[in-house]
Coordinates of all heavy atoms in Angstrom, one line a residue:
M1 N -63.3 36.0 -44.3 CA -63.2 37.2 -43.5 C -64.3 38.2 -43.9 O -64.6 38.4 -45.1 CB -61.8 37.9 -43.7 CG -60.7 37.1 -43.2 SD -60.6 37.1 -41.4 CE -58.9 36.6 -41.2
R2 N -64.8 39.0 -42.9 CA -65.7 40.1 -43.3 C -65.1 41.3 -42.6 O -64.8 41.3 -41.4 CB -67.1 39.8 -42.8 CG -68.1 40.9 -43.3 CD -69.5 40.5 -43.0 NE -69.7 40.3 -41.6 CZ -70.7 39.5 -41.1 NH1 -71.5 38.9 -41.9 NH2 -70.8 39.4 -39.8
I3 N -65.0 42.4 -43.4 CA -64.4 43.6 -42.9 C -65.5 44.7 -42.8 O -66.3 44.9 -43.7 CB -63.3 44.2 -43.8 CG1 -62.3 43.1 -44.2 CG2 -62.6 45.4 -43.2 CD1 -61.5 43.4 -45.4
T4 N -65.6 45.3 -41.6 CA -66.5 46.4 -41.4 C -65.8 47.7 -41.0 O -64.9 47.6 -40.2 CB -67.5 46.1 -40.3 OG1 -68.0 44.7 -40.5 CG2 -68.7 47.0 -40.3
I5 N -66.1 48.8 -41.7 CA -65.5 50.0 -41.3 C -66.7 50.9 -40.7 O -67.7 51.1 -41.3 CB -64.9 50.8 -42.5 CG1 -63.8 50.0 -43.2 CG2 -64.4 52.2 -42.1 CD1 -63.4 50.5 -44.5
D6 N -66.5 51.3 -39.4 CA -67.4 52.1 -38.8 C -67.2 53.6 -39.2 O -66.3 54.3 -38.7 CB -67.3 52.0 -37.3 CG -68.4 52.8 -36.5 OD1 -69.0 53.7 -37.1 OD2 -68.6 52.5 -35.3
T7 N -68.0 54.0 -40.2 CA -67.7 55.3 -40.8 C -68.1 56.5 -39.9 O -67.6 57.6 -40.1 CB -68.5 55.5 -42.1 OG1 -69.8 55.1 -41.9 CG2 -67.9 54.6 -43.2
D8 N -68.9 56.2 -38.9 CA -69.1 57.2 -37.9 C -67.9 57.5 -37.0 O -67.7 58.5 -36.4 CB -70.3 56.8 -37.0 CG -71.6 56.9 -37.8 OD1 -71.7 57.7 -38.8 OD2 -72.6 56.2 -37.4
R9 N -67.1 56.4 -36.8 CA -66.0 56.5 -35.9 C -64.7 56.9 -36.7 O -63.8 57.6 -36.1 CB -65.8 55.1 -35.3 CG -64.9 55.1 -34.1 CD -64.8 53.7 -33.6 NE -65.9 53.4 -32.6 CZ -65.8 52.5 -31.7 NH1 -64.6 51.8 -31.6 NH2 -66.7 52.2 -30.9
C10 N -64.6 56.6 -37.9 CA -63.4 56.9 -38.7 C -63.1 58.4 -38.7 O -64.0 59.2 -38.9 CB -63.6 56.4 -40.1 SG -62.2 56.9 -41.3
I11 N -61.8 58.7 -38.4 CA -61.5 60.1 -38.4 C -60.5 60.5 -39.6 O -60.0 61.6 -39.7 CB -60.7 60.5 -37.1 CG1 -59.5 59.6 -36.9 CG2 -61.7 60.4 -35.9 CD1 -58.6 60.0 -35.7
G12 N -60.4 59.5 -40.5 CA -59.6 59.8 -41.7 C -58.1 59.8 -41.4 O -57.4 60.5 -42.1
A13 N -57.7 59.1 -40.4 CA -56.2 59.1 -40.1 C -55.4 58.5 -41.1 O -54.2 58.8 -41.3 CB -56.0 58.5 -38.7
G14 N -55.9 57.6 -41.9 CA -55.2 57.0 -43.0 C -54.3 55.8 -42.7 O -53.6 55.3 -43.5
Q15 N -54.2 55.4 -41.4 CA -53.3 54.4 -41.0 C -53.7 53.1 -41.7 O -52.7 52.3 -42.0 CB -53.4 54.2 -39.5 CG -52.8 55.3 -38.7 CD -51.4 55.6 -39.0 OE1 -50.6 54.7 -39.3 NE2 -51.1 56.9 -39.1
C16 N -54.9 52.8 -41.9 CA -55.3 51.5 -42.5 C -54.8 51.5 -44.0 O -54.3 50.5 -44.4 CB -56.8 51.4 -42.5 SG -57.8 52.8 -43.2
V17 N -54.9 52.6 -44.6 CA -54.4 52.7 -46.0 C -52.9 52.5 -46.1 O -52.4 51.8 -47.0 CB -54.9 54.0 -46.7 CG1 -54.5 54.1 -48.2 CG2 -56.4 54.2 -46.5
L18 N -52.2 53.1 -45.2 CA -50.8 53.0 -45.2 C -50.3 51.6 -44.8 O -49.4 51.1 -45.4 CB -50.2 53.9 -44.1 CG -50.2 55.4 -44.4 CD1 -49.8 56.2 -43.2 CD2 -49.3 55.8 -45.6
T19 N -51.1 50.9 -44.0 CA -50.7 49.6 -43.5 C -51.1 48.5 -44.5 O -50.3 47.6 -44.8 CB -51.4 49.3 -42.2 OG1 -51.0 50.3 -41.3 CG2 -50.9 48.0 -41.6
A20 N -52.3 48.6 -45.1 CA -52.8 47.6 -46.0 C -53.4 48.3 -47.3 O -54.6 48.3 -47.5 CB -53.8 46.7 -45.4
P21 N -52.5 48.8 -48.1 CA -53.0 49.6 -49.3 C -53.6 48.7 -50.3 O -54.3 49.2 -51.3 CB -51.7 50.2 -49.9 CG -50.6 49.4 -49.3 CD -51.0 48.9 -48.0
G22 N -53.5 47.3 -50.2 CA -54.2 46.4 -51.1 C -55.6 46.2 -50.7 O -56.3 45.5 -51.5
V23 N -56.0 46.7 -49.6 CA -57.4 46.5 -49.1 C -58.2 47.8 -49.0 O -59.3 47.9 -49.4 CB -57.4 45.7 -47.8 CG1 -58.9 45.5 -47.3 CG2 -56.7 44.4 -47.9
F24 N -57.5 48.7 -48.4 CA -58.2 50.0 -48.0 C -57.8 51.1 -48.9 O -56.7 51.2 -49.5 CB -57.9 50.4 -46.6 CG -58.3 49.4 -45.5 CD1 -57.4 48.5 -45.1 CD2 -59.6 49.4 -45.1 CE1 -57.9 47.5 -44.1 CE2 -60.1 48.5 -44.2 CZ -59.2 47.6 -43.7
T25 N -58.7 52.1 -49.1 CA -58.4 53.3 -49.8 C -59.1 54.4 -49.1 O -59.8 54.2 -48.1 CB -58.8 53.2 -51.3 OG1 -58.3 54.4 -52.0 CG2 -60.3 53.1 -51.5
Q26 N -58.9 55.7 -49.5 CA -59.6 56.8 -48.9 C -60.5 57.4 -49.9 O -60.1 57.6 -51.0 CB -58.6 57.8 -48.3 CG -58.0 57.3 -47.0 CD -56.9 58.2 -46.5 OE1 -55.9 58.4 -47.1 NE2 -57.1 58.9 -45.3
D27 N -61.7 57.8 -49.4 CA -62.6 58.5 -50.3 C -62.2 60.0 -50.5 O -61.2 60.4 -49.9 CB -64.1 58.3 -49.9 CG -64.4 59.0 -48.6 OD1 -63.6 59.9 -48.1 OD2 -65.4 58.7 -48.0
D28 N -63.0 60.7 -51.2 CA -62.6 62.1 -51.5 C -62.5 63.0 -50.2 O -61.8 64.0 -50.2 CB -63.7 62.7 -52.4 CG -63.6 62.1 -53.8 OD1 -62.6 61.5 -54.1 OD2 -64.6 62.3 -54.6
D29 N -63.2 62.5 -49.2 CA -63.1 63.3 -47.9 C -62.1 62.7 -47.0 O -61.9 63.2 -45.8 CB -64.5 63.2 -47.2 CG -65.6 63.9 -48.0 OD1 -65.3 65.0 -48.6 OD2 -66.7 63.4 -48.1
G30 N -61.3 61.7 -47.4 CA -60.2 61.2 -46.6 C -60.6 60.1 -45.7 O -59.8 59.5 -44.9
F31 N -61.9 59.6 -45.8 CA -62.3 58.6 -44.9 C -62.1 57.2 -45.6 O -62.0 57.1 -46.8 CB -63.8 58.7 -44.5 CG -64.1 60.0 -43.7 CD1 -64.8 61.0 -44.3 CD2 -63.6 60.1 -42.4 CE1 -65.0 62.2 -43.5 CE2 -63.8 61.2 -41.7 CZ -64.5 62.3 -42.2
S32 N -61.9 56.2 -44.7 CA -61.5 54.9 -45.2 C -62.7 54.2 -45.9 O -63.8 54.3 -45.5 CB -61.1 54.1 -44.0 OG -60.8 52.8 -44.4
E33 N -62.4 53.5 -47.0 CA -63.3 52.6 -47.6 C -62.5 51.4 -48.2 O -61.3 51.5 -48.4 CB -64.1 53.3 -48.7 CG -63.4 53.9 -49.8 CD -64.2 54.7 -50.8 OE1 -65.4 55.0 -50.5 OE2 -63.8 54.9 -51.9
L34 N -63.3 50.4 -48.5 CA -62.6 49.2 -49.0 C -62.5 49.3 -50.5 O -63.3 49.9 -51.2 CB -63.5 48.0 -48.7 CG -63.6 47.6 -47.2 CD1 -64.7 46.5 -47.1 CD2 -62.3 47.1 -46.7
L35 N -61.3 48.9 -51.0 CA -61.2 48.9 -52.5 C -62.2 47.9 -53.1 O -62.6 46.9 -52.5 CB -59.8 48.3 -52.8 CG -58.6 49.3 -52.6 CD1 -57.3 48.6 -52.7 CD2 -58.6 50.5 -53.6
P36 N -62.7 48.2 -54.3 CA -63.6 47.4 -55.0 C -63.2 45.9 -55.0 O -62.0 45.7 -55.4 CB -63.8 48.0 -56.4 CG -63.3 49.4 -56.2 CD -62.3 49.4 -55.1
G37 N -64.0 45.0 -54.6 CA -63.7 43.6 -54.7 C -62.9 43.1 -53.5 O -62.5 41.9 -53.5
R38 N -62.6 44.0 -52.6 CA -61.8 43.6 -51.4 C -62.6 43.5 -50.1 O -62.0 43.6 -49.0 CB -60.6 44.5 -51.3 CG -59.6 44.5 -52.4 CD -59.1 43.1 -52.6 NE -58.2 42.9 -53.7 CZ -56.9 42.8 -53.6 NH1 -56.3 42.7 -52.5 NH2 -56.2 42.6 -54.7
T39 N -63.8 43.3 -50.3 CA -64.7 43.3 -49.1 C -64.3 42.2 -48.1 O -64.7 42.2 -46.9 CB -66.2 43.2 -49.4 OG1 -66.4 42.1 -50.3 CG2 -66.6 44.5 -50.1
D40 N -63.6 41.1 -48.6 CA -63.3 40.0 -47.7 C -61.8 40.1 -47.4 O -61.2 39.2 -46.8 CB -63.6 38.7 -48.4 CG -62.8 38.5 -49.6 OD1 -62.1 39.4 -50.1 OD2 -62.9 37.3 -50.2
G41 N -61.1 41.2 -47.8 CA -59.7 41.3 -47.5 C -58.8 40.5 -48.4 O -57.6 40.8 -48.5
A42 N -59.4 39.6 -49.2 CA -58.6 38.8 -50.2 C -57.4 38.2 -49.6 O -56.3 38.1 -50.3 CB -58.3 39.7 -51.4
G43 N -57.4 37.8 -48.4 CA -56.3 37.1 -47.8 C -55.1 38.0 -47.5 O -54.0 37.5 -47.4
D44 N -55.3 39.3 -47.5 CA -54.1 40.2 -47.3 C -53.5 40.0 -45.9 O -54.2 40.1 -44.9 CB -54.6 41.6 -47.5 CG -53.4 42.6 -47.6 OD1 -52.6 42.6 -46.7 OD2 -53.4 43.4 -48.6
P45 N -52.2 39.7 -45.8 CA -51.6 39.4 -44.6 C -51.6 40.6 -43.6 O -51.4 40.5 -42.4 CB -50.2 38.9 -44.9 CG -50.0 39.4 -46.3 CD -51.3 39.5 -47.0
M46 N -51.7 41.8 -44.2 CA -51.7 43.0 -43.4 C -53.0 43.5 -42.9 O -53.1 44.5 -42.2 CB -51.0 44.1 -44.2 CG -49.6 43.9 -44.6 SD -48.6 43.5 -43.1 CE -48.5 45.2 -42.4
L47 N -54.1 42.7 -43.2 CA -55.4 43.2 -42.8 C -55.6 43.4 -41.3 O -56.0 44.4 -40.9 CB -56.4 42.1 -43.4 CG -57.9 42.4 -43.0 CD1 -58.3 43.7 -43.6 CD2 -58.7 41.3 -43.6
K48 N -55.2 42.4 -40.6 CA -55.4 42.5 -39.1 C -54.5 43.5 -38.5 O -54.9 44.2 -37.6 CB -55.2 41.1 -38.4 CG -56.3 40.2 -38.7 CD -56.3 38.9 -37.9 CE -57.5 38.1 -38.1 NZ -57.4 36.8 -37.6
E49 N -53.3 43.7 -39.1 CA -52.4 44.7 -38.7 C -53.1 46.1 -38.9 O -52.9 47.0 -38.1 CB -51.1 44.6 -39.4 CG -50.0 45.4 -38.8 CD -49.7 45.0 -37.4 OE1 -49.7 43.8 -37.0 OE2 -49.5 45.9 -36.6
A50 N -53.7 46.3 -40.0 CA -54.4 47.5 -40.4 C -55.5 47.8 -39.4 O -55.7 49.0 -38.9 CB -54.9 47.5 -41.8
A51 N -56.2 46.8 -39.0 CA -57.3 47.0 -38.0 C -56.7 47.4 -36.7 O -57.3 48.3 -36.0 CB -58.1 45.7 -37.8
R52 N -55.6 46.9 -36.3 CA -54.9 47.2 -35.1 C -54.4 48.6 -35.1 O -54.3 49.3 -34.1 CB -53.8 46.3 -34.8 CG -54.2 45.2 -33.8 CD -52.9 44.5 -33.2 NE -52.2 43.8 -34.3 CZ -52.4 42.5 -34.6 NH1 -53.4 41.9 -34.0 NH2 -51.7 42.0 -35.6
A53 N -53.9 49.0 -36.3 CA -53.3 50.4 -36.5 C -54.3 51.5 -36.4 O -53.9 52.6 -36.1 CB -52.6 50.4 -37.8
C54 N -55.5 51.2 -36.6 CA -56.5 52.3 -36.6 C -56.6 52.9 -35.2 O -56.9 52.2 -34.2 CB -57.9 51.8 -37.0 SG -59.2 53.0 -36.9
P55 N -56.4 54.2 -35.1 CA -56.3 54.9 -33.8 C -57.7 54.9 -33.0 O -57.7 55.2 -31.8 CB -55.8 56.3 -34.0 CG -56.1 56.5 -35.5 CD -56.1 55.2 -36.2
V56 N -58.8 54.7 -33.8 CA -60.1 54.8 -33.1 C -60.8 53.5 -33.2 O -62.1 53.4 -33.0 CB -60.9 56.0 -33.8 CG1 -60.3 57.3 -33.4 CG2 -61.1 55.8 -35.3
Q57 N -60.1 52.4 -33.6 CA -60.7 51.1 -33.7 C -62.0 51.1 -34.5 O -63.0 50.5 -34.1 CB -61.1 50.5 -32.3 CG -59.8 50.0 -31.5 CD -59.2 51.2 -30.7 OE1 -59.8 51.9 -30.0 NE2 -57.9 51.3 -30.9
A58 N -61.9 51.7 -35.7 CA -63.1 51.7 -36.6 C -63.2 50.5 -37.4 O -64.3 50.3 -38.1 CB -63.0 53.0 -37.4
I59 N -62.2 49.7 -37.5 CA -62.2 48.5 -38.4 C -62.4 47.2 -37.6 O -61.7 47.0 -36.6 CB -60.8 48.4 -39.1 CG1 -60.6 49.7 -39.9 CG2 -60.8 47.2 -40.1 CD1 -59.2 49.8 -40.5
T60 N -63.4 46.5 -38.0 CA -63.7 45.2 -37.4 C -63.4 44.1 -38.5 O -63.9 44.2 -39.6 CB -65.1 45.1 -37.0 OG1 -65.4 46.2 -36.1 CG2 -65.4 43.8 -36.2
V61 N -62.6 43.1 -38.1 CA -62.4 42.0 -39.0 C -62.9 40.7 -38.3 O -62.5 40.4 -37.2 CB -60.9 41.8 -39.2 CG1 -60.6 40.6 -40.1 CG2 -60.3 43.1 -39.8
E62 N -63.9 40.1 -39.0 CA -64.5 38.9 -38.4 C -64.3 37.7 -39.3 O -64.3 37.8 -40.5 CB -66.0 39.1 -38.2 CG -66.4 40.2 -37.3 CD -67.9 40.5 -37.4 OE1 -68.3 41.0 -38.4 OE2 -68.6 40.3 -36.4
S63 N -64.0 36.5 -38.7 CA -64.0 35.3 -39.5 C -65.4 34.9 -39.8 O -66.3 35.0 -38.9 CB -63.3 34.2 -38.8 OG -62.0 34.6 -38.4
E64 N -65.7 34.4 -41.0 CA -67.1 34.0 -41.3 C -67.2 32.5 -41.0 O -66.3 31.7 -41.0 CB -67.4 34.3 -42.7 CG -67.5 35.8 -42.9 CD -68.0 36.2 -44.3 OE1 -67.2 35.9 -45.2 OE2 -69.0 36.9 -44.4
Ligands
SF4_101 S1 -57.1 54.0 -39.8 FE1 -59.1 54.1 -38.9 S2 -59.5 56.3 -38.6 FE2 -57.9 56.1 -40.1 S3 -58.8 56.1 -42.1 FE3 -58.6 54.0 -41.4 S4 -60.5 53.5 -40.5 FE4 -60.4 55.7 -40.6

């Protein structure tokens, strides 16, 4: 899996962090970023759910 966060689109709603706290975190400004070492999602079952939960579709999950 490859996860991309469109930081221009992210509004810092935090839904991704709430849904998949094992993959996403928020930076000091509240915008989404990947936890260190989790750039592939590490098989987190909530990953796709987190992408769906984002209100502005800023998260893209692709199979490699
Ligand atoms: S849910 Fe979307 S808008 Fe909210 S912090 Fe995550 S990526 Fe950004």
Side-chain angles (χ1 to χ4, degrees):
M1 295 287 200
R2 186 171 58 203
I3 309 164
T4 314
I5 301 170
D6 184 342
T7 50
D8 289 335
R9 197 179 270 205
C10 174
I11 57 171
Q15 293 302 321
C16 54
V17 183
L18 289 172
T19 306
V23 179
F24 298 96
T25 187
Q26 284 175 293
D27 68 15
D28 292 343
D29 296 319
F31 296 111
S32 177
E33 62 184 13
L34 295 169
L35 284 167
R38 294 302 175 109
T39 53
D40 63 352
D44 193 304
M46 295 306 286
L47 177 58
K48 287 189 174 170
E49 195 56 44
R52 263 196 295 272
C54 176
V56 293
Q57 285 86 50
I59 301 168
T60 307
V61 179
E62 295 168 298
S63 303
E64 290 184 299

